[in-house]
Amino acid sequence: WLKVRRVSALPFFGAHFSPLRSAAMGKVHGSLARAGKVKNQTPKVAKAEKKKVLTGRAKKRFTFNRRFVSIVKGGPKRGPNSNMK
């Protein structure tokens, strides 16, 4: 009798799903003993005091003034996060 060998259409992907092979593969992530290592090593910095965030009508007024009223005529256009003078 002839032995028929099954050939997978996707030889690279078919190998990953073998139940015999999954037990021999290595760990994916580190042990939980090292969890939070970097966060615990960083020095604690106190939060700086910030200006109160505008809401409602005041926020709309602020964004309108920033976009349309206080723009400088002439010169290259700059983005909203630009620090160039």
Side-chain angles (χ1 to χ4, degrees), residues 18-26:
S18 173
L20 299 175
R21 201 168 241 228
S22 64
M25 295 182 84

PDB file of all heavy atoms in Angstrom, residues 18-26:
ATOM      1  N   SER A  18       0.670  22.960  16.070  1.00  0.00           N
ATOM      2  CA  SER A  18       0.903  21.586  16.488  1.00  0.00           C
ATOM      3  C   SER A  18       0.847  21.492  18.008  1.00  0.00           C
ATOM      4  O   SER A  18       1.530  22.239  18.704  1.00  0.00           O
ATOM      5  CB  SER A  18       2.276  21.113  15.999  1.00  0.00           C
ATOM      6  OG  SER A  18       2.557  19.855  16.530  1.00  0.00           O
ATOM      7  N   PRO A  19       0.051  20.588  18.577  1.00  0.00           N
ATOM      8  CA  PRO A  19      -0.029  20.489  20.033  1.00  0.00           C
ATOM      9  C   PRO A  19       1.261  19.969  20.661  1.00  0.00           C
ATOM     10  O   PRO A  19       1.551  20.261  21.814  1.00  0.00           O
ATOM     11  CB  PRO A  19      -1.182  19.516  20.274  1.00  0.00           C
ATOM     12  CG  PRO A  19      -1.333  18.770  19.002  1.00  0.00           C
ATOM     13  CD  PRO A  19      -0.864  19.678  17.910  1.00  0.00           C
ATOM     14  N   LEU A  20       2.062  19.227  19.921  1.00  0.00           N
ATOM     15  CA  LEU A  20       3.313  18.718  20.471  1.00  0.00           C
ATOM     16  C   LEU A  20       4.358  19.818  20.574  1.00  0.00           C
ATOM     17  O   LEU A  20       5.185  19.816  21.460  1.00  0.00           O
ATOM     18  CB  LEU A  20       3.851  17.574  19.576  1.00  0.00           C
ATOM     19  CG  LEU A  20       2.944  16.354  19.455  1.00  0.00           C
ATOM     20  CD1 LEU A  20       3.527  15.371  18.462  1.00  0.00           C
ATOM     21  CD2 LEU A  20       2.770  15.705  20.824  1.00  0.00           C
ATOM     22  N   ARG A  21       4.311  20.771  19.671  1.00  0.00           N
ATOM     23  CA  ARG A  21       5.318  21.795  19.608  1.00  0.00           C
ATOM     24  C   ARG A  21       5.066  22.903  20.629  1.00  0.00           C
ATOM     25  O   ARG A  21       5.985  23.560  21.073  1.00  0.00           O
ATOM     26  CB  ARG A  21       5.309  22.394  18.209  1.00  0.00           C
ATOM     27  CG  ARG A  21       6.562  23.086  17.842  1.00  0.00           C
ATOM     28  CD  ARG A  21       6.501  23.344  16.377  1.00  0.00           C
ATOM     29  NE  ARG A  21       7.604  22.668  15.738  1.00  0.00           N
ATOM     30  CZ  ARG A  21       8.396  23.250  14.865  1.00  0.00           C
ATOM     31  NH1 ARG A  21       8.152  24.454  14.465  1.00  0.00           N
ATOM     32  NH2 ARG A  21       9.400  22.614  14.347  1.00  0.00           N
ATOM     33  N   SER A  22       3.817  23.148  21.013  1.00  0.00           N
ATOM     34  CA  SER A  22       3.511  24.270  21.889  1.00  0.00           C
ATOM     35  C   SER A  22       4.129  24.097  23.271  1.00  0.00           C
ATOM     36  O   SER A  22       4.455  25.065  23.928  1.00  0.00           O
ATOM     37  CB  SER A  22       1.999  24.453  22.004  1.00  0.00           C
ATOM     38  OG  SER A  22       1.439  23.308  22.614  1.00  0.00           O
ATOM     39  N   ALA A  23       4.312  22.852  23.736  1.00  0.00           N
ATOM     40  CA  ALA A  23       4.890  22.641  25.051  1.00  0.00           C
ATOM     41  C   ALA A  23       6.381  22.934  25.063  1.00  0.00           C
ATOM     42  O   ALA A  23       6.939  23.294  26.089  1.00  0.00           O
ATOM     43  CB  ALA A  23       4.644  21.194  25.485  1.00  0.00           C
ATOM     44  N   ALA A  24       7.047  22.816  23.938  1.00  0.00           N
ATOM     45  CA  ALA A  24       8.486  23.008  23.885  1.00  0.00           C
ATOM     46  C   ALA A  24       8.873  24.453  23.608  1.00  0.00           C
ATOM     47  O   ALA A  24      10.040  24.796  23.712  1.00  0.00           O
ATOM     48  CB  ALA A  24       9.073  22.112  22.794  1.00  0.00           C
ATOM     49  N   MET A  25       7.916  25.319  23.281  1.00  0.00           N
ATOM     50  CA  MET A  25       8.257  26.698  22.943  1.00  0.00           C
ATOM     51  C   MET A  25       8.536  27.496  24.212  1.00  0.00           C
ATOM     52  O   MET A  25       8.070  27.170  25.290  1.00  0.00           O
ATOM     53  CB  MET A  25       7.120  27.334  22.147  1.00  0.00           C
ATOM     54  CG  MET A  25       6.931  26.674  20.794  1.00  0.00           C
ATOM     55  SD  MET A  25       5.662  27.418  19.837  1.00  0.00           S
ATOM     56  CE  MET A  25       6.553  28.759  19.119  1.00  0.00           C
ATOM     57  N   GLY A  26       9.294  28.579  24.065  1.00  0.00           N
ATOM     58  CA  GLY A  26       9.701  29.375  25.217  1.00  0.00           C
ATOM     59  C   GLY A  26       8.607  30.308  25.706  1.00  0.00           C
ATOM     60  O   GLY A  26       7.547  30.424  25.113  1.00  0.00           O
TER      61      GLY A  26
END
